[in-house]
Amino acid sequence: MEIQEIVLASRPVGLPSSDNFRPERKVLEKITEGEVLLKPLYFSVDPYMRGRMSSVKSYAAGYEVDKPILGGTVAKVIESKSPDLSEGDSVVGTLPWATCCIERPKNLKKINTDLFPAPYYLGVLRMPGLTAYFGMMDIGRPVKGDTVLISGAAGAVGIVAGQIAKIRGAIVTGITGSDEKCRMLREQFGFDSAINYKATKALRKEIAAECPKGVDIYFDNVGGEITDAAVANLNFRSRFVLCGQISQYNNTRISTGPALLPVLLTRSVTLQGFIVSNFSDRFDEAMSELTGWVSNGSLKYTETVIEGFNNLPQAFIGLFNGMNYGKMLVKAD
Ligand code: NAP
């Protein structure tokens, strides 16, 4: 059977471009005993994939040039030679950017798409949701009345992090890149206020205006100047949840900015960076809480779905210019 793959053609320098990716045709062998044939339904594109495209050693192994990109994918089993999965089952796993692929069930998790929409298994009910959960519940630890500030608030992690803080009784301000996203955060996701960082020249003052009692928890998804402005507003004994630094991922040299450590020192701030896999032994606990909140309507979710396998590179690049509202996904043809 002939399939199409998208491979990493070259390692990006700065912002990735479509030239860094290449479609390829390939013949897929027949499946053998213990394997399943999968047809992807939805592909997840995520900021951490940018790190895997570089040769710098990080927590996730780098992608190989001329090999397919790998990422979170919801797929359907179209043929099975395994007793563990049947034709028609839906699964989630880390799969190649390919129109069909062969896997072993031990690398897949069966999902029930009658219970929740398939895209949820790449967003709120998977890595982004778990990241928001542990970052907010374990590191931020909001209590009633706390002021919580979230950067990258309208993305996959930020939307969930903000709603968890609301569930805990906090007052939540989101920072994001358009007025429409600000409106969405307030009107659809219950944020108390939202700031369009692209429309303000004095972000530090705007944060002070929206968070008049100062910031007790800063959940950072972006870094850079937004974080400089947030840190200036941190309260005594506040928590700084260091989740992501997307504004820095395409840098070709180390950026410099205000020295933040003196502020963290004098205000006794606790800063903790984390990778969601640090909490892997507690994923079941988080999943049961997240599914409970989604089921009872206290946690809502949204996604931007780009149609077409060939648009995977564009969707991935779109993460760096704010194309997505909530989780960015690609729907297979
Ligand atoms: P996302 O927020 O859904 O998508 C990325 C968003 O970042 C864009 O929509 C854009 O929104 C914003 N952005 C892009 N470039 C920016 C810049 N230069 N300055 C400010 N904002 C920028 O992505 P996600 O999957 O939820 O991930 C959010 C962050 O969490 C990322 O940094 C990611 O690496 C991190 N993360 C960490 C872990 C962990 O284990 N620690 C796990 C998952 C994700 P705007 O319109 O608002 O600009």
Side-chain angles (χ1 to χ4, degrees):
M1 155 189 218
E2 195 179 65
I3 62 153
Q4 200 186 321
E5 293 180 333
I6 296 176
V7 304
L8 182 66
S10 57
R11 298 200 184 279
V13 178
L15 181 68
S17 79
S18 50
D19 293 343
N20 298 124
F21 306 91
R22 187 178 63 240
E24 281 194 351
R25 295 211 162 269
K26 172 180 159 179
V27 174
L28 207 58
E29 303 299 325
K30 286 203 177 325
I31 58 168
T32 56
E33 218 41 55
E35 292 179 332
V36 290
L37 180 64
L38 299 172
K39 168 133 182 42
L41 303 177
Y42 289 93
F43 296 92
S44 173
V45 290
D46 295 273
Y48 79 88
M49 297 168 102
R50 175 65 184 85
R52 294 191 71 180
M53 288 171 195
S54 92
S55 55
V56 179
K57 207 169 167 224
S58 186
Y59 61 92
Y63 297 129
E64 284 181 56
V65 173
D66 296 331
K67 293 275 168 57
I69 306 287
L70 300 166
T73 307
V74 165
K76 220 168 197 58
V77 177
I78 52 173
E79 192 186 339
S80 176
K81 287 201 173 167
S82 161
D84 300 329
L85 285 171
S86 311
E87 196 184 316
D89 283 346
S90 295
V91 295
V92 64
T94 301
L95 300 177
W97 283 6
T99 49
C100 269
C101 66
I102 295 171
E103 251 307 345
R104 292 198 167 266
K106 71 173 167 49
N107 301 326
L108 303 165
K109 191 170 165 28
K110 194 170 158 181
I111 57 171
N112 184 348
T113 51
D114 293 331
L115 224 46
F116 301 106
Y120 278 38
Y121 293 98
L122 295 169
V124 62
L125 300 181
R126 189 132 157 124
M127 189 269 284
L130 293 166
T131 304
Y133 180 88
F134 289 109
M136 193 54 80
M137 299 289 277
D138 272 64
I139 303 174
R141 300 186 311 279
V143 295
K144 194 168 174 3
D146 272 351
T147 296
V148 174
L149 179 68
I150 301 174
S151 63
V157 173
I159 276 184
V160 179
Q163 291 178 91
I164 292 174
K166 286 302 302 175
I167 290 168
R168 299 294 297 248
I171 301 153
V172 180
T173 297
I175 304 175
T176 186
S178 75
D179 288 344
E180 208 182 323
K181 286 186 178 182
C182 286
R183 203 165 26 253
M184 173 185 82
L185 290 177
R186 287 191 308 265
E187 293 175 6
Q188 285 183 45
F189 295 101
F191 283 53
D192 296 282
S193 63
I195 300 169
N196 174 358
Y197 70 92
K198 289 184 182 161
T200 174
K201 286 200 165 53
L203 185 56
R204 184 170 60 85
K205 285 189 184 153
E206 197 153 334
I207 294 170
E210 295 298 341
C211 306
K213 292 186 185 161
V215 173
D216 299 305
I217 296 163
Y218 174 49
F219 191 111
D220 189 16
N221 285 311
V222 307
E225 289 176 9
I226 293 174
T227 293
D228 299 341
V231 166
N233 284 283
L234 285 176
N235 283 337
F236 187 68
R237 286 200 189 285
S238 53
R239 274 89 65 207
F240 180 156
V241 184
L242 182 46
C243 175
Q245 295 279 286
I246 194 167
S247 74
Q248 311 297 300
Y249 295 171
N250 294 315
N251 286 356
T252 48
R253 62 175 77 160
I254 294 170
S255 67
T256 53
L260 302 181
L261 294 182
V263 180
L264 303 186
L265 167 70
T266 54
R267 297 188 201 165
S268 303
V269 176
T270 303
L271 180 151
Q272 187 177 333
F274 75 105
I275 302 298
V276 64
S277 55
N278 298 351
F279 296 94
S280 53
D281 58 337
R282 289 176 49 213
F283 279 1
D284 286 349
E285 161 206 323
M287 282 305 294
S288 102
E289 192 101 272
L290 288 166
T291 47
W293 287 331
V294 172
S295 301
N296 72 20
S298 49
L299 182 54
K300 299 191 183 74
Y301 207 56
T302 190
E303 58 272 324
T304 295
V305 180
I306 308 291
E307 302 268 343
F309 176 77
N310 286 324
N311 290 323
L312 268 162
Q314 286 315 318
F316 170 70
I317 294 164
L319 291 171
F320 298 96
N321 56 36
M323 195 200 263
N324 57 309
Y325 288 62
K327 180 80 195 94
M328 182 71 115
L329 295 172
V330 172
K331 189 169 189 290
D333 311 274

